Amino acid sequence: MQVDEEAMAPVLNRLRRAQGQLAGVIAMVEAGRDCKDVVTQLAAVSRALDRAGFKIVASGMRQCLSDASADTPPMTEAELEKLFLALA
């Protein structure tokens, strides 16, 4: 499944933000910061990754539904369901 370039910009922004947040979490753990603060930031990283994944899946679904003549066969309902469950 390929995602169009227009949809990839926000995905890459989310992933870069998550990467920065994860680096911050690592620094917090190394510095011995409060557990509550670490978990709060770790949850933010997780949400950012989930949102990036959902955006990729949603864009892919839109493309699969609109590309009836693509070189690759459209995704089956089972394949789409498996992608969604992987993010759940």
Side-chain angles (χ1 to χ4, degrees):
M1 169 175 63
Q2 290 192 356
V3 180
D4 66 33
E5 290 182 30
E6 186 177 312
M8 286 308 293
V11 169
L12 289 172
N13 287 340
R14 289 178 199 272
L15 291 174
R16 287 186 184 106
R17 187 177 314 124
Q19 184 178 31
Q21 288 172 318
L22 184 56
V25 170
I26 292 169
M28 291 171 75
V29 170
E30 290 174 342
R33 292 278 302 271
D34 182 59
C35 180
K36 180 182 173 191
D37 295 336
V38 172
V39 170
T40 299
Q41 288 304 309
L42 199 52
V45 173
S46 180
R47 282 190 306 274
L49 292 174
D50 287 345
R51 294 180 130 228
F54 290 139
K55 180 74 171 176
I56 290 170
V57 171
S59 297
M61 282 180 52
R62 184 173 38 254
Q63 188 171 352
C64 286
L65 293 173
S66 65
D67 270 354
S69 63
D71 293 337
T72 57
M75 293 180 73
T76 66
E77 185 175 329
E79 290 171 320
L80 290 170
E81 182 178 348
K82 184 176 178 179
L83 284 176
F84 275 112
L85 290 176
L87 293 171

